[in-house]
mmCIF file of all heavy atoms in Angstrom:
data_model
loop_
_atom_site.group_PDB
_atom_site.id
_atom_site.type_symbol
_atom_site.label_atom_id
_atom_site.label_comp_id
_atom_site.label_asym_id
_atom_site.label_seq_id
_atom_site.Cartn_x
_atom_site.Cartn_y
_atom_site.Cartn_z
ATOM 1 N N THR A 148 6.952 7.770 -17.662
ATOM 2 C CA THR A 148 6.372 8.566 -18.743
ATOM 3 C C THR A 148 5.614 9.764 -18.185
ATOM 4 O O THR A 148 5.744 10.887 -18.690
ATOM 5 C CB THR A 148 5.425 7.699 -19.600
ATOM 6 O OG1 THR A 148 6.156 6.618 -20.179
ATOM 7 C CG2 THR A 148 4.789 8.516 -20.707
ATOM 8 N N ARG A 149 4.821 9.543 -17.138
ATOM 9 C CA ARG A 149 4.094 10.652 -16.527
ATOM 10 C C ARG A 149 5.058 11.646 -15.899
ATOM 11 O O ARG A 149 4.818 12.861 -15.906
ATOM 12 C CB ARG A 149 3.113 10.124 -15.475
ATOM 13 C CG ARG A 149 1.952 9.332 -16.037
ATOM 14 C CD ARG A 149 0.977 10.178 -16.844
ATOM 15 N NE ARG A 149 0.167 11.054 -16.030
ATOM 16 C CZ ARG A 149 -1.012 10.731 -15.514
ATOM 17 N NH1 ARG A 149 -1.522 9.533 -15.740
ATOM 18 N NH2 ARG A 149 -1.696 11.597 -14.794
ATOM 19 N N MET A 150 6.174 11.158 -15.363
ATOM 20 C CA MET A 150 7.186 12.056 -14.794
ATOM 21 C C MET A 150 7.786 12.949 -15.875
ATOM 22 O O MET A 150 8.099 14.112 -15.632
ATOM 23 C CB MET A 150 8.291 11.258 -14.113
ATOM 24 C CG MET A 150 7.875 10.555 -12.835
ATOM 25 S SD MET A 150 9.236 9.559 -12.173
ATOM 26 C CE MET A 150 10.387 10.855 -11.666
ATOM 27 N N CYS A 151 7.949 12.400 -17.071
ATOM 28 C CA CYS A 151 8.489 13.191 -18.187
ATOM 29 C C CYS A 151 7.608 14.406 -18.455
ATOM 30 O O CYS A 151 8.086 15.501 -18.765
ATOM 31 C CB CYS A 151 8.568 12.352 -19.462
ATOM 32 S SG CYS A 151 9.747 11.011 -19.426
ATOM 33 N N LEU A 152 6.304 14.205 -18.352
ATOM 34 C CA LEU A 152 5.363 15.291 -18.637
ATOM 35 C C LEU A 152 5.346 16.335 -17.526
ATOM 36 O O LEU A 152 5.092 17.512 -17.767
ATOM 37 C CB LEU A 152 3.951 14.721 -18.819
ATOM 38 C CG LEU A 152 3.738 13.850 -20.057
ATOM 39 C CD1 LEU A 152 2.374 13.171 -19.985
ATOM 40 C CD2 LEU A 152 3.853 14.677 -21.324
ATOM 41 N N GLY A 153 5.609 15.900 -16.291
ATOM 42 C CA GLY A 153 5.575 16.832 -15.174
ATOM 43 C C GLY A 153 4.222 17.497 -15.061
ATOM 44 O O GLY A 153 3.176 16.866 -15.189
ATOM 45 N N ALA A 154 4.216 18.799 -14.873
ATOM 46 C CA ALA A 154 2.959 19.539 -14.704
ATOM 47 C C ALA A 154 2.242 19.764 -16.028
ATOM 48 O O ALA A 154 1.106 20.246 -16.054
ATOM 49 C CB ALA A 154 3.234 20.881 -14.027
ATOM 50 N N LEU A 155 2.873 19.391 -17.155
ATOM 51 C CA LEU A 155 2.277 19.646 -18.468
ATOM 52 C C LEU A 155 1.019 18.809 -18.708
ATOM 53 O O LEU A 155 0.103 19.247 -19.395
ATOM 54 C CB LEU A 155 3.291 19.301 -19.572
ATOM 55 C CG LEU A 155 4.538 20.164 -19.665
ATOM 56 C CD1 LEU A 155 5.539 19.507 -20.613
ATOM 57 C CD2 LEU A 155 4.183 21.557 -20.144
ATOM 58 N N GLN A 156 1.018 17.578 -18.148
ATOM 59 C CA GLN A 156 -0.045 16.589 -18.359
ATOM 60 C C GLN A 156 -0.054 16.035 -19.788
ATOM 61 O O GLN A 156 -0.232 14.861 -20.007
ATOM 62 C CB GLN A 156 -1.438 17.162 -18.019
ATOM 63 C CG GLN A 156 -1.619 17.529 -16.568
ATOM 64 C CD GLN A 156 -1.563 16.345 -15.633
ATOM 65 O OE1 GLN A 156 -1.595 15.197 -16.038
ATOM 66 N NE2 GLN A 156 -1.454 16.627 -14.346
ATOM 67 N N THR A 157 0.126 16.913 -20.779
ATOM 68 C CA THR A 157 0.118 16.449 -22.169
ATOM 69 C C THR A 157 0.976 17.377 -23.015
ATOM 70 O O THR A 157 1.173 18.540 -22.666
ATOM 71 C CB THR A 157 -1.316 16.405 -22.731
ATOM 72 O OG1 THR A 157 -1.293 15.902 -24.078
ATOM 73 C CG2 THR A 157 -1.951 17.790 -22.719
ATOM 74 N N THR A 158 1.494 16.855 -24.120
ATOM 75 C CA THR A 158 2.253 17.692 -25.058
ATOM 76 C C THR A 158 1.432 17.990 -26.310
ATOM 77 O O THR A 158 1.940 18.597 -27.250
ATOM 78 C CB THR A 158 3.560 16.980 -25.472
ATOM 79 O OG1 THR A 158 3.236 15.688 -25.995
ATOM 80 C CG2 THR A 158 4.502 16.820 -24.288
ATOM 81 N N TYR A 159 0.183 17.568 -26.333
ATOM 82 C CA TYR A 159 -0.661 17.775 -27.502
ATOM 83 C C TYR A 159 -1.397 19.116 -27.400
ATOM 84 O O TYR A 159 -2.151 19.327 -26.444
ATOM 85 C CB TYR A 159 -1.706 16.663 -27.622
ATOM 86 C CG TYR A 159 -1.155 15.331 -28.043
ATOM 87 C CD1 TYR A 159 -0.496 14.510 -27.132
ATOM 88 C CD2 TYR A 159 -1.308 14.874 -29.356
ATOM 89 C CE1 TYR A 159 0.004 13.271 -27.506
ATOM 90 C CE2 TYR A 159 -0.813 13.642 -29.745
ATOM 91 C CZ TYR A 159 -0.160 12.839 -28.815
ATOM 92 O OH TYR A 159 0.336 11.612 -29.198
ATOM 93 N N PRO A 160 -1.216 20.011 -28.369
ATOM 94 C CA PRO A 160 -1.977 21.262 -28.349
ATOM 95 C C PRO A 160 -3.476 21.024 -28.531
ATOM 96 O O PRO A 160 -4.301 21.773 -28.034
ATOM 97 C CB PRO A 160 -1.394 22.077 -29.504
ATOM 98 C CG PRO A 160 -0.555 21.154 -30.297
ATOM 99 C CD PRO A 160 -0.241 19.962 -29.468
ATOM 100 N N ASP A 161 -3.818 19.949 -29.253
ATOM 101 C CA ASP A 161 -5.221 19.569 -29.444
ATOM 102 C C ASP A 161 -5.416 18.190 -28.812
ATOM 103 O O ASP A 161 -4.932 17.186 -29.329
ATOM 104 C CB ASP A 161 -5.555 19.529 -30.941
ATOM 105 C CG ASP A 161 -7.015 19.200 -31.212
ATOM 106 O OD1 ASP A 161 -7.736 18.831 -30.261
ATOM 107 O OD2 ASP A 161 -7.433 19.302 -32.377
ATOM 108 N N LEU A 162 -6.125 18.152 -27.693
ATOM 109 C CA LEU A 162 -6.329 16.898 -26.975
ATOM 110 C C LEU A 162 -7.053 15.865 -27.826
ATOM 111 O O LEU A 162 -6.863 14.652 -27.669
ATOM 112 C CB LEU A 162 -7.124 17.153 -25.691
ATOM 113 C CG LEU A 162 -6.439 18.011 -24.625
ATOM 114 C CD1 LEU A 162 -7.415 18.319 -23.490
ATOM 115 C CD2 LEU A 162 -5.201 17.316 -24.083
ATOM 116 N N ARG A 163 -7.869 16.339 -28.755
ATOM 117 C CA ARG A 163 -8.612 15.405 -29.605
ATOM 118 C C ARG A 163 -7.681 14.600 -30.499
ATOM 119 O O ARG A 163 -7.968 13.451 -30.845
ATOM 120 C CB ARG A 163 -9.649 16.168 -30.426
ATOM 121 C CG ARG A 163 -10.791 16.724 -29.579
ATOM 122 C CD ARG A 163 -11.664 17.684 -30.352
ATOM 123 N NE ARG A 163 -10.911 18.857 -30.799
ATOM 124 C CZ ARG A 163 -11.441 19.868 -31.445
ATOM 125 N NH1 ARG A 163 -12.735 19.879 -31.737
ATOM 126 N NH2 ARG A 163 -10.697 20.911 -31.814
ATOM 127 N N GLU A 164 -6.549 15.192 -30.881
ATOM 128 C CA GLU A 164 -5.570 14.454 -31.687
ATOM 129 C C GLU A 164 -4.990 13.290 -30.881
ATOM 130 O O GLU A 164 -4.801 12.185 -31.405
ATOM 131 C CB GLU A 164 -4.441 15.393 -32.137
ATOM 132 C CG GLU A 164 -3.400 14.694 -32.995
ATOM 133 C CD GLU A 164 -2.230 15.608 -33.356
ATOM 134 O OE1 GLU A 164 -2.302 16.823 -33.075
ATOM 135 O OE2 GLU A 164 -1.239 15.095 -33.904
ATOM 136 N N GLN A 165 -4.711 13.542 -29.588
ATOM 137 C CA GLN A 165 -4.208 12.488 -28.718
ATOM 138 C C GLN A 165 -5.218 11.338 -28.636
ATOM 139 O O GLN A 165 -4.850 10.161 -28.721
ATOM 140 C CB GLN A 165 -3.929 13.053 -27.326
ATOM 141 C CG GLN A 165 -3.252 12.069 -26.369
ATOM 142 C CD GLN A 165 -2.825 12.755 -25.082
ATOM 143 O OE1 GLN A 165 -2.963 13.969 -24.931
ATOM 144 N NE2 GLN A 165 -2.310 11.983 -24.151
ATOM 145 N N ALA A 166 -6.482 11.696 -28.493
ATOM 146 C CA ALA A 166 -7.531 10.669 -28.432
ATOM 147 C C ALA A 166 -7.629 9.905 -29.748
ATOM 148 O O ALA A 166 -7.751 8.669 -29.758
ATOM 149 C CB ALA A 166 -8.866 11.310 -28.080
ATOM 150 N N ARG A 167 -7.555 10.623 -30.867
ATOM 151 C CA ARG A 167 -7.699 9.973 -32.181
ATOM 152 C C ARG A 167 -6.597 8.940 -32.421
ATOM 153 O O ARG A 167 -6.844 7.893 -33.033
ATOM 154 C CB ARG A 167 -7.692 11.025 -33.301
ATOM 155 C CG ARG A 167 -9.012 11.782 -33.442
ATOM 156 C CD ARG A 167 -9.058 12.561 -34.747
ATOM 157 N NE ARG A 167 -8.072 13.641 -34.775
ATOM 158 C CZ ARG A 167 -8.298 14.885 -34.361
ATOM 159 N NH1 ARG A 167 -9.488 15.227 -33.884
ATOM 160 N NH2 ARG A 167 -7.363 15.809 -34.456
ATOM 161 N N GLU A 168 -5.381 9.215 -31.957
ATOM 162 C CA GLU A 168 -4.282 8.253 -32.133
ATOM 163 C C GLU A 168 -4.619 6.921 -31.454
ATOM 164 O O GLU A 168 -4.344 5.843 -31.987
ATOM 165 C CB GLU A 168 -2.980 8.822 -31.569
ATOM 166 C CG GLU A 168 -2.377 9.927 -32.426
ATOM 167 C CD GLU A 168 -1.015 10.383 -31.909
ATOM 168 O OE1 GLU A 168 -0.455 9.720 -31.019
ATOM 169 O OE2 GLU A 168 -0.522 11.409 -32.400
ATOM 170 N N HIS A 169 -5.212 7.018 -30.263
ATOM 171 C CA HIS A 169 -5.541 5.804 -29.526
ATOM 172 C C HIS A 169 -6.765 5.100 -30.117
ATOM 173 O O HIS A 169 -6.827 3.868 -30.119
ATOM 174 C CB HIS A 169 -5.741 6.142 -28.043
ATOM 175 C CG HIS A 169 -4.472 6.567 -27.368
ATOM 176 N ND1 HIS A 169 -3.973 7.843 -27.482
ATOM 177 C CD2 HIS A 169 -3.590 5.872 -26.612
ATOM 178 C CE1 HIS A 169 -2.844 7.923 -26.802
ATOM 179 N NE2 HIS A 169 -2.585 6.748 -26.266
ATOM 180 N N VAL A 170 -7.708 5.871 -30.628
ATOM 181 C CA VAL A 170 -8.847 5.280 -31.330
ATOM 182 C C VAL A 170 -8.344 4.473 -32.526
ATOM 183 O O VAL A 170 -8.767 3.329 -32.752
ATOM 184 C CB VAL A 170 -9.827 6.375 -31.796
ATOM 185 C CG1 VAL A 170 -10.865 5.794 -32.763
ATOM 186 C CG2 VAL A 170 -10.528 7.019 -30.601
ATOM 187 N N GLY A 171 -7.414 5.063 -33.282
ATOM 188 C CA GLY A 171 -6.873 4.389 -34.458
ATOM 189 C C GLY A 171 -6.149 3.105 -34.117
ATOM 190 O O GLY A 171 -6.293 2.081 -34.823
ATOM 191 N N LEU A 172 -5.375 3.119 -33.030
ATOM 192 C CA LEU A 172 -4.636 1.915 -32.632
ATOM 193 C C LEU A 172 -5.602 0.819 -32.197
ATOM 194 O O LEU A 172 -5.450 -0.351 -32.583
ATOM 195 C CB LEU A 172 -3.660 2.253 -31.505
ATOM 196 C CG LEU A 172 -2.780 1.098 -30.998
ATOM 197 C CD1 LEU A 172 -2.050 0.414 -32.145
ATOM 198 C CD2 LEU A 172 -1.791 1.610 -29.955
ATOM 199 N N ARG A 173 -6.621 1.183 -31.431
ATOM 200 C CA ARG A 173 -7.611 0.175 -31.016
ATOM 201 C C ARG A 173 -8.327 -0.395 -32.236
ATOM 202 O O ARG A 173 -8.565 -1.620 -32.315
ATOM 203 C CB ARG A 173 -8.629 0.768 -30.047
ATOM 204 C CG ARG A 173 -9.676 -0.258 -29.628
ATOM 205 C CD ARG A 173 -10.825 0.340 -28.850
ATOM 206 N NE ARG A 173 -11.847 -0.683 -28.623
ATOM 207 C CZ ARG A 173 -12.830 -0.962 -29.472
ATOM 208 N NH1 ARG A 173 -12.953 -0.268 -30.606
ATOM 209 N NH2 ARG A 173 -13.700 -1.918 -29.195
ATOM 210 N N GLU A 174 -8.694 0.451 -33.185
ATOM 211 C CA GLU A 174 -9.398 -0.026 -34.381
ATOM 212 C C GLU A 174 -8.533 -0.990 -35.186
ATOM 213 O O GLU A 174 -9.039 -1.984 -35.724
ATOM 214 C CB GLU A 174 -9.820 1.165 -35.241
ATOM 215 C CG GLU A 174 -10.974 1.963 -34.647
ATOM 216 C CD GLU A 174 -11.325 3.197 -35.464
ATOM 217 O OE1 GLU A 174 -10.528 3.555 -36.363
ATOM 218 O OE2 GLU A 174 -12.386 3.796 -35.202
ATOM 219 N N ALA A 175 -7.222 -0.714 -35.251
ATOM 220 C CA ALA A 175 -6.322 -1.606 -35.985
ATOM 221 C C ALA A 175 -6.227 -2.965 -35.295
ATOM 222 O O ALA A 175 -6.182 -4.011 -35.959
ATOM 223 C CB ALA A 175 -4.936 -0.974 -36.105
ATOM 224 N N VAL A 176 -6.214 -2.955 -33.958
ATOM 225 C CA VAL A 176 -6.203 -4.212 -33.207
ATOM 226 C C VAL A 176 -7.506 -4.972 -33.449
ATOM 227 O O VAL A 176 -7.505 -6.172 -33.748
ATOM 228 C CB VAL A 176 -6.006 -3.938 -31.693
ATOM 229 C CG1 VAL A 176 -6.277 -5.197 -30.873
ATOM 230 C CG2 VAL A 176 -4.592 -3.426 -31.412
ATOM 231 N N ALA A 177 -8.628 -4.266 -33.330
ATOM 232 C CA ALA A 177 -9.939 -4.899 -33.490
ATOM 233 C C ALA A 177 -10.131 -5.469 -34.894
ATOM 234 O O ALA A 177 -10.745 -6.533 -35.069
ATOM 235 C CB ALA A 177 -11.042 -3.890 -33.180
ATOM 236 N N ALA A 178 -9.581 -4.786 -35.903
ATOM 237 C CA ALA A 178 -9.756 -5.209 -37.295
ATOM 238 C C ALA A 178 -8.794 -6.313 -37.699
ATOM 239 O O ALA A 178 -8.912 -6.876 -38.793
ATOM 240 C CB ALA A 178 -9.580 -4.005 -38.220
ATOM 241 N N GLY A 179 -7.836 -6.617 -36.816
ATOM 242 C CA GLY A 179 -6.846 -7.632 -37.178
ATOM 243 C C GLY A 179 -5.935 -7.158 -38.288
ATOM 244 O O GLY A 179 -5.655 -7.901 -39.231
#
Side-chain angles (χ1 to χ4, degrees):
T148 299
R149 292 292 288 270
M150 290 176 68
C151 293
L152 292 171
L155 294 169
Q156 296 295 348
T157 182
T158 55
Y159 288 78
D161 183 351
L162 295 173
R163 291 169 298 183
E164 181 184 352
Q165 186 172 356
R167 283 193 294 270
E168 287 185 10
H169 292 80
V170 169
L172 182 52
R173 179 189 174 273
E174 287 176 348
V176 168

